[in-house]
Amino acid sequence: MKKLLVLFALIALVLGSFTGCSSTPEETGPKTVKVGIAIYKFDDTFMTNYRTEMEAYLTGMNSDEVTYEVSITDGKNDQATQTEQIDNFIAQAYDVLIVNLVDLTAASTIIEKVKAADIPTVFINRQPSADDMKLWDKITYVGAKAEDSGTYQGEIAVDLWNAGGVDKNGDGVMQYVMLMGQEIHQDAALRTEYSIKKVEAEGIKVEKLFEERGNWDRVLGQEKTAAAIAQFGDKIEVVFGNNDDMALGAIEALKAAGMVVPVIGVDATAPALDAIAAGDLSGTVLNDSVGQAHTSVDKALALLAGETLEKEYWVPYVKVTPENYKDFQ
Ligand code: GAL
Ligand code: CA
Protein backbone atom coordinates (compact mmCIF):
# COMPACT_ATOMS: atom_id res chain seq x y z
CA MET A 1 0.00 0.00 0.00
CA LYS A 2 2.74 2.42 1.02
CA LYS A 3 4.67 1.60 -2.16
CA LEU A 4 1.58 2.31 -4.21
CA LEU A 5 1.19 5.75 -2.60
CA VAL A 6 4.82 6.58 -3.28
CA LEU A 7 4.33 5.53 -6.88
CA PHE A 8 1.26 7.74 -7.25
CA ALA A 9 3.14 10.62 -5.71
CA LEU A 10 5.99 10.13 -8.16
CA ILE A 11 3.63 9.97 -11.13
CA ALA A 12 1.89 13.13 -9.94
CA LEU A 13 5.26 14.90 -9.64
CA VAL A 14 6.38 13.85 -13.12
CA LEU A 15 3.03 14.81 -14.69
CA GLY A 16 3.13 18.05 -12.83
CA SER A 17 6.49 19.02 -14.24
CA PHE A 18 5.28 18.18 -17.77
CA THR A 19 2.00 20.08 -17.56
CA GLY A 20 3.63 22.95 -15.74
CA CYS A 21 1.28 22.96 -12.78
CA SER A 22 3.90 23.08 -10.07
CA SER A 23 3.80 26.14 -7.84
CA THR A 24 6.86 28.30 -8.49
CA PRO A 25 6.20 32.05 -7.97
CA GLU A 26 6.32 32.85 -11.71
CA GLU A 27 3.48 30.50 -12.43
CA THR A 28 1.13 31.52 -9.60
CA GLY A 29 1.66 35.17 -10.59
CA PRO A 30 2.38 38.17 -8.36
CA LYS A 31 0.76 38.34 -4.97
CA THR A 32 -1.91 40.99 -4.55
CA VAL A 33 -1.76 43.65 -1.85
CA LYS A 34 -5.05 45.47 -1.37
CA VAL A 35 -4.61 49.10 -0.35
CA GLY A 36 -7.71 51.04 0.71
CA ILE A 37 -7.50 54.83 0.66
CA ALA A 38 -10.28 56.89 2.25
CA ILE A 39 -10.26 60.60 1.29
CA TYR A 40 -12.40 63.15 3.21
CA LYS A 41 -13.81 64.42 -0.09
CA PHE A 42 -12.76 64.31 -3.74
CA ASP A 43 -13.80 67.91 -4.46
CA ASP A 44 -10.61 69.40 -2.95
CA THR A 45 -7.68 70.53 -5.09
CA PHE A 46 -4.83 69.65 -2.74
CA MET A 47 -6.25 66.27 -1.68
CA THR A 48 -6.89 65.43 -5.35
CA ASN A 49 -3.20 65.96 -6.14
CA TYR A 50 -2.34 63.92 -3.05
CA ARG A 51 -4.54 60.91 -3.87
CA THR A 52 -3.59 60.89 -7.55
CA GLU A 53 0.07 60.72 -6.53
CA MET A 54 -0.50 57.91 -3.99
CA GLU A 55 -2.21 55.82 -6.63
CA ALA A 56 0.47 56.50 -9.26
CA TYR A 57 3.24 55.74 -6.77
CA LEU A 58 1.65 52.45 -5.70
CA THR A 59 0.86 51.18 -9.18
CA GLY A 60 4.35 52.28 -10.26
CA MET A 61 5.69 49.72 -7.78
CA ASN A 62 3.85 46.79 -9.36
CA SER A 63 6.27 44.00 -10.26
CA ASP A 64 6.50 40.28 -10.94
CA GLU A 65 6.23 39.69 -7.20
CA VAL A 66 3.46 42.04 -6.19
CA THR A 67 0.43 43.85 -7.58
CA TYR A 68 -0.98 46.76 -5.60
CA GLU A 69 -4.72 46.84 -5.93
CA VAL A 70 -5.71 50.37 -4.97
CA SER A 71 -9.23 51.46 -4.10
CA ILE A 72 -9.91 55.12 -3.24
CA THR A 73 -13.17 56.31 -1.70
CA ASP A 74 -14.82 59.75 -1.64
CA GLY A 75 -16.03 60.51 1.90
CA LYS A 76 -18.08 63.42 0.52
CA ASN A 77 -17.18 65.42 3.63
CA ASP A 78 -19.46 63.17 5.67
CA GLN A 79 -18.04 60.99 8.45
CA ALA A 80 -20.92 58.49 8.39
CA THR A 81 -20.26 57.89 4.68
CA GLN A 82 -16.54 57.50 5.27
CA THR A 83 -17.00 55.14 8.22
CA GLU A 84 -19.16 52.93 6.01
CA GLN A 85 -16.43 52.95 3.34
CA ILE A 86 -13.86 51.89 5.93
CA ASP A 87 -16.22 49.15 7.16
CA ASN A 88 -16.34 47.91 3.55
CA PHE A 89 -12.53 47.86 3.28
CA ILE A 90 -12.45 45.81 6.49
CA ALA A 91 -15.20 43.43 5.29
CA GLN A 92 -13.24 42.87 2.06
CA ALA A 93 -10.07 42.09 4.03
CA TYR A 94 -7.93 44.95 2.71
CA ASP A 95 -4.29 44.56 3.72
CA VAL A 96 -3.55 48.14 4.69
CA LEU A 97 -5.43 51.45 4.85
CA ILE A 98 -4.56 55.13 4.37
CA VAL A 99 -7.17 57.41 5.94
CA ASN A 100 -7.81 61.15 5.52
CA LEU A 101 -10.51 61.47 8.18
CA VAL A 102 -13.51 63.72 7.65
CA ASP A 103 -14.01 64.33 11.35
CA LEU A 104 -11.14 63.98 13.79
CA THR A 105 -13.50 63.13 16.64
CA ALA A 106 -14.19 59.83 14.82
CA ALA A 107 -10.53 58.78 15.06
CA SER A 108 -10.91 56.50 18.09
CA THR A 109 -13.88 54.67 16.54
CA ILE A 110 -11.93 54.06 13.33
CA ILE A 111 -8.81 52.97 15.22
CA GLU A 112 -10.82 50.45 17.27
CA LYS A 113 -12.23 49.02 14.03
CA VAL A 114 -8.91 48.59 12.21
CA LYS A 115 -7.31 47.23 15.36
CA ALA A 116 -10.04 44.60 15.78
CA ALA A 117 -9.49 43.58 12.13
CA ASP A 118 -5.68 43.83 12.45
CA ILE A 119 -5.35 46.13 9.42
CA PRO A 120 -2.42 48.58 9.77
CA THR A 121 -3.46 52.15 9.02
CA VAL A 122 -1.76 55.43 8.14
CA PHE A 123 -3.66 58.63 8.93
CA ILE A 124 -2.92 61.57 6.68
CA ASN A 125 -3.55 65.33 6.54
CA ARG A 126 -5.82 65.47 9.63
CA GLN A 127 -4.02 64.43 12.77
CA PRO A 128 -5.76 62.32 15.43
CA SER A 129 -5.00 63.33 19.03
CA ALA A 130 -1.95 61.91 20.80
CA ASP A 131 -4.31 59.89 23.03
CA ASP A 132 -6.04 58.36 20.01
CA MET A 133 -2.69 57.48 18.45
CA LYS A 134 -1.79 55.50 21.57
CA LEU A 135 -4.74 53.14 21.02
CA TRP A 136 -2.75 50.81 18.75
CA ASP A 137 0.84 50.34 17.61
CA LYS A 138 0.07 49.58 13.93
CA ILE A 139 -1.01 53.15 13.18
CA THR A 140 0.94 56.27 12.29
CA TYR A 141 0.35 59.81 11.01
CA VAL A 142 1.92 61.58 8.02
CA GLY A 143 1.50 65.34 7.71
CA ALA A 144 3.16 68.72 7.52
CA LYS A 145 3.73 71.17 10.39
CA ALA A 146 0.97 73.72 9.93
CA GLU A 147 2.78 76.20 12.19
CA ASP A 148 5.54 76.46 9.59
CA SER A 149 3.14 77.19 6.74
CA GLY A 150 1.64 80.02 8.81
CA THR A 151 5.05 81.40 9.64
CA TYR A 152 6.04 81.41 5.95
CA GLN A 153 2.84 83.27 5.08
CA GLY A 154 3.75 85.81 7.75
CA GLU A 155 7.25 86.17 6.30
CA ILE A 156 5.80 86.86 2.86
CA ALA A 157 3.54 89.56 4.34
CA VAL A 158 6.47 91.11 6.24
CA ASP A 159 8.60 91.27 3.09
CA LEU A 160 5.77 92.97 1.19
CA TRP A 161 5.30 95.42 4.08
CA ASN A 162 9.00 96.24 4.20
CA ALA A 163 8.99 96.77 0.44
CA GLY A 164 6.30 99.42 1.01
CA GLY A 165 3.49 97.61 -0.76
CA VAL A 166 0.98 97.12 2.05
CA ASP A 167 0.27 100.12 4.30
CA LYS A 168 -2.12 101.92 1.95
CA ASN A 169 -3.51 104.32 4.57
CA GLY A 170 -0.08 104.95 6.07
CA ASP A 171 -1.18 104.39 9.68
CA GLY A 172 1.64 101.95 10.45
CA VAL A 173 -0.87 99.12 11.02
CA MET A 174 -1.49 96.11 8.75
CA GLN A 175 -5.26 95.86 8.21
CA TYR A 176 -5.96 92.28 7.16
CA VAL A 177 -8.62 89.78 6.14
CA MET A 178 -8.25 86.11 7.17
CA LEU A 179 -10.01 83.32 5.26
CA MET A 180 -9.99 80.20 7.39
CA GLY A 181 -10.30 76.52 6.48
CA GLN A 182 -12.62 73.99 8.09
CA GLU A 183 -12.94 74.19 11.86
CA ILE A 184 -12.18 70.49 12.38
CA HIS A 185 -8.74 70.87 10.80
CA GLN A 186 -5.59 71.70 12.80
CA ASP A 187 -4.14 73.45 9.70
CA ALA A 188 -6.83 76.16 9.82
CA ALA A 189 -6.24 77.24 13.41
CA LEU A 190 -2.45 77.00 13.21
CA ARG A 191 -2.05 78.87 9.91
CA THR A 192 -4.37 81.61 11.19
CA GLU A 193 -2.38 81.93 14.39
CA TYR A 194 1.20 81.63 13.13
CA SER A 195 0.89 83.90 10.09
CA ILE A 196 -0.16 86.83 12.28
CA LYS A 197 2.27 85.89 15.05
CA LYS A 198 5.14 86.20 12.58
CA VAL A 199 4.01 89.64 11.39
CA GLU A 200 3.75 90.86 15.00
CA ALA A 201 7.11 89.30 15.88
CA GLU A 202 8.67 91.57 13.26
CA GLY A 203 7.30 94.59 15.13
CA ILE A 204 4.43 95.32 12.75
CA LYS A 205 1.06 96.20 14.30
CA VAL A 206 -1.96 94.39 12.91
CA GLU A 207 -5.68 95.02 12.81
CA LYS A 208 -8.00 92.13 12.03
CA LEU A 209 -10.81 93.51 9.90
CA PHE A 210 -12.51 90.26 9.00
CA GLU A 211 -11.98 86.59 9.84
CA GLU A 212 -14.36 83.94 8.54
CA ARG A 213 -14.35 80.36 7.31
CA GLY A 214 -14.24 79.58 3.63
CA ASN A 215 -13.78 75.86 4.47
CA TRP A 216 -10.91 75.43 1.94
CA ASP A 217 -13.35 76.24 -0.86
CA ARG A 218 -12.74 78.67 -3.73
CA VAL A 219 -16.33 79.82 -4.15
CA LEU A 220 -16.70 80.39 -0.40
CA GLY A 221 -13.37 82.25 -0.40
CA GLN A 222 -14.72 84.54 -3.12
CA GLU A 223 -18.04 85.07 -1.30
CA LYS A 224 -16.41 85.81 2.06
CA THR A 225 -13.98 88.25 0.46
CA ALA A 226 -16.84 89.98 -1.34
CA ALA A 227 -18.54 90.34 2.07
CA ALA A 228 -15.32 91.75 3.56
CA ILE A 229 -15.03 94.22 0.67
CA ALA A 230 -18.65 95.31 1.13
CA GLN A 231 -17.89 96.03 4.78
CA PHE A 232 -14.34 97.42 4.67
CA GLY A 233 -13.60 98.33 1.06
CA ASP A 234 -10.27 100.11 0.62
CA LYS A 235 -9.32 99.60 4.26
CA ILE A 236 -8.25 96.03 3.35
CA GLU A 237 -4.47 95.93 2.95
CA VAL A 238 -3.74 92.20 2.74
CA VAL A 239 -5.70 88.94 2.49
CA PHE A 240 -4.46 85.71 4.05
CA GLY A 241 -6.05 82.47 2.87
CA ASN A 242 -5.46 79.28 4.86
CA ASN A 243 -5.17 77.65 1.43
CA ASP A 244 -4.77 78.56 -2.26
CA ASP A 245 -8.33 77.78 -3.32
CA MET A 246 -9.71 80.39 -0.91
CA ALA A 247 -6.92 82.81 -1.91
CA LEU A 248 -7.85 82.38 -5.59
CA GLY A 249 -11.49 83.06 -4.68
CA ALA A 250 -10.35 86.22 -2.89
CA ILE A 251 -8.49 87.39 -6.01
CA GLU A 252 -11.69 86.99 -8.06
CA ALA A 253 -13.65 89.08 -5.54
CA LEU A 254 -10.96 91.79 -5.44
CA LYS A 255 -10.79 91.95 -9.23
CA ALA A 256 -14.56 92.23 -9.44
CA ALA A 257 -14.34 95.21 -7.06
CA GLY A 258 -11.49 96.75 -9.07
CA MET A 259 -9.11 96.42 -6.11
CA VAL A 260 -5.46 95.39 -6.01
CA VAL A 261 -4.49 93.92 -2.64
CA PRO A 262 -1.74 91.40 -1.84
CA VAL A 263 -3.16 87.88 -1.32
CA ILE A 264 -1.19 85.02 0.26
CA GLY A 265 -2.17 81.33 0.16
CA VAL A 266 -0.91 77.85 1.08
CA ASP A 267 -0.51 74.65 -1.03
CA ALA A 268 1.22 75.85 -4.22
CA THR A 269 -1.35 74.17 -6.46
CA ALA A 270 -0.92 74.59 -10.23
CA PRO A 271 -3.58 77.34 -10.50
CA ALA A 272 -1.92 79.20 -7.60
CA LEU A 273 1.47 79.07 -9.31
CA ASP A 274 -0.18 80.40 -12.48
CA ALA A 275 -1.69 83.21 -10.39
CA ILE A 276 1.78 84.09 -9.10
CA ALA A 277 3.05 84.12 -12.69
CA ALA A 278 0.19 86.46 -13.62
CA GLY A 279 1.05 88.77 -10.72
CA ASP A 280 -2.29 88.14 -8.99
CA LEU A 281 -1.09 86.07 -6.02
CA SER A 282 1.72 87.50 -3.89
CA GLY A 283 2.94 84.19 -2.55
CA THR A 284 2.05 80.75 -1.25
CA VAL A 285 3.63 77.86 0.64
CA LEU A 286 4.30 74.47 -0.93
CA ASN A 287 2.21 71.84 0.86
CA ASP A 288 4.14 68.95 -0.66
CA SER A 289 1.46 66.56 -1.95
CA VAL A 290 4.04 64.41 -3.75
CA GLY A 291 6.34 64.11 -0.72
CA GLN A 292 3.42 63.39 1.59
CA ALA A 293 1.90 60.85 -0.81
CA HIS A 294 5.18 58.93 -1.04
CA THR A 295 5.79 59.04 2.70
CA SER A 296 2.25 57.80 3.48
CA VAL A 297 2.56 54.91 1.07
CA ASP A 298 6.07 54.02 2.30
CA LYS A 299 4.84 54.03 5.90
CA ALA A 300 1.78 51.95 5.02
CA LEU A 301 3.98 49.30 3.39
CA ALA A 302 6.40 49.40 6.33
CA LEU A 303 3.55 48.77 8.78
CA LEU A 304 2.36 45.94 6.56
CA ALA A 305 5.87 44.45 6.64
CA GLY A 306 5.66 44.45 10.42
CA GLU A 307 8.01 47.35 11.11
CA THR A 308 7.59 49.39 14.26
CA LEU A 309 7.06 53.03 13.37
CA GLU A 310 7.04 56.44 15.04
CA LYS A 311 3.65 57.97 15.81
CA GLU A 312 4.12 60.84 13.33
CA TYR A 313 6.14 61.80 10.26
CA TRP A 314 6.54 65.35 8.90
CA VAL A 315 7.10 66.51 5.34
CA PRO A 316 8.50 70.07 5.15
CA TYR A 317 6.70 73.12 3.74
CA VAL A 318 8.53 75.47 1.37
CA LYS A 319 7.93 79.22 0.95
CA VAL A 320 6.95 80.13 -2.63
CA THR A 321 7.23 83.69 -3.99
CA PRO A 322 7.53 85.37 -7.41
CA GLU A 323 11.31 84.76 -7.11
CA ASN A 324 11.18 80.95 -6.92
CA TYR A 325 7.69 79.82 -8.07
CA LYS A 326 9.06 78.44 -11.34
CA ASP A 327 10.92 75.76 -9.39
CA PHE A 328 7.55 74.28 -8.40
CA GLN A 329 5.70 74.41 -11.73
C1 GAL B 1 -4.90 71.24 3.88
C2 GAL B 1 -4.79 71.94 2.55
C3 GAL B 1 -6.16 72.38 2.09
C4 GAL B 1 -7.12 71.21 2.10
C5 GAL B 1 -7.10 70.50 3.44
C6 GAL B 1 -7.97 69.26 3.40
O1 GAL B 1 -3.64 70.78 4.29
O2 GAL B 1 -3.94 73.05 2.67
O3 GAL B 1 -6.09 72.94 0.81
O4 GAL B 1 -6.77 70.32 1.09
O5 GAL B 1 -5.77 70.14 3.79
O6 GAL B 1 -8.00 68.60 4.62
CA1 CA C 1 -2.55 100.39 7.38
Side-chain angles (χ1 to χ4, degrees), residues 36-287:
I37 302 179
I39 300 295
Y40 93 101
K41 71 170 185 178
F42 277 5
D43 181 20
D44 177 298
T45 311
F46 169 74
M47 286 312 307
T48 298
N49 295 338
Y50 198 141
R51 74 179 146 94
T52 309
E53 186 60 33
M54 284 192 286
E55 184 167 26
Y57 186 58
L58 272 163
T59 52
M61 286 192 288
N62 284 342
S63 67
D64 292 343
E65 281 86 46
V66 51
T67 302
Y68 293 100
E69 203 179 291
V70 186
S71 171
I72 310 185
T73 55
D74 178 0
K76 302 206 160 81
N77 202 30
D78 179 61
Q79 189 56 54
T81 300
Q82 185 179 65
T83 303
E84 218 170 274
Q85 292 163 342
I86 292 170
D87 285 339
N88 279 335
F89 282 143
I90 294 171
Q92 292 169 52
Y94 270 67
D95 295 293
V96 62
L97 302 184
I98 297 176
V99 177
N100 170 214
L101 284 169
V102 175
D103 182 349
L104 282 169
T105 61
S108 57
T109 309
I110 302 297
I111 294 167
E112 293 303 348
K113 282 173 188 282
V114 293
K115 181 181 175 183
D118 195 26
I119 303 176
T121 298
V122 176
F123 290 96
I124 58 168
N125 180 259
R126 292 163 179 222
Q127 188 175 22
S129 72
D131 280 345
D132 287 341
M133 292 304 287
K134 281 187 202 132
L135 292 170
W136 195 31
D137 53 353
K138 293 188 196 172
I139 54 174
T140 188
Y141 173 72
V142 173
K145 290 256 184 214
E147 298 88 329
D148 294 348
S149 55
T151 301
Y152 286 142
Q153 287 190 293
E155 281 179 20
I156 295 168
V158 168
D159 287 346
L160 290 168
W161 177 274
N162 290 338
V166 176
D167 193 13
K168 275 194 293 195
N169 65 355
D171 67 350
V173 179
M174 186 187 287
Q175 276 85 13
Y176 73 90
V177 165
M178 182 69 70
L179 302 171
M180 295 187 295
Q182 286 179 303
E183 192 171 6
I184 196 71
H185 204 308
Q186 77 279 344
D187 288 358
L190 293 170
R191 288 173 190 165
T192 299
E193 182 187 345
Y194 279 80
S195 53
I196 299 306
K197 242 190 197 167
K198 180 64 190 172
V199 174
E200 290 180 309
E202 296 300 315
I204 300 166
K205 288 202 195 76
V206 297
E207 183 188 350
K208 172 167 55 184
L209 296 178
F210 184 97
E211 181 177 274
E212 282 196 29
R213 294 196 187 278
N215 293 341
W216 310 122
D217 182 77
R218 182 167 179 154
V219 173
L220 272 179
Q222 180 257 319
E223 287 171 5
K224 295 292 176 189
T225 307
I229 293 169
Q231 215 178 330
F232 298 102
D234 281 332
K235 278 196 189 144
I236 302 169
E237 294 182 331
V238 59
V239 177
F240 294 90
N242 283 172
N243 78 341
D244 284 342
D245 274 355
M246 293 189 292
L248 292 170
I251 290 168
E252 283 172 45
L254 289 164
K255 279 192 174 169
M259 289 170 66
V260 180
V261 167
V263 178
I264 305 163
V266 176
D267 283 341
T269 60
L273 296 172
D274 290 346
I276 294 182
D280 290 334
L281 185 67
S282 296
T284 184
V285 180
L286 173 72
N287 190 4

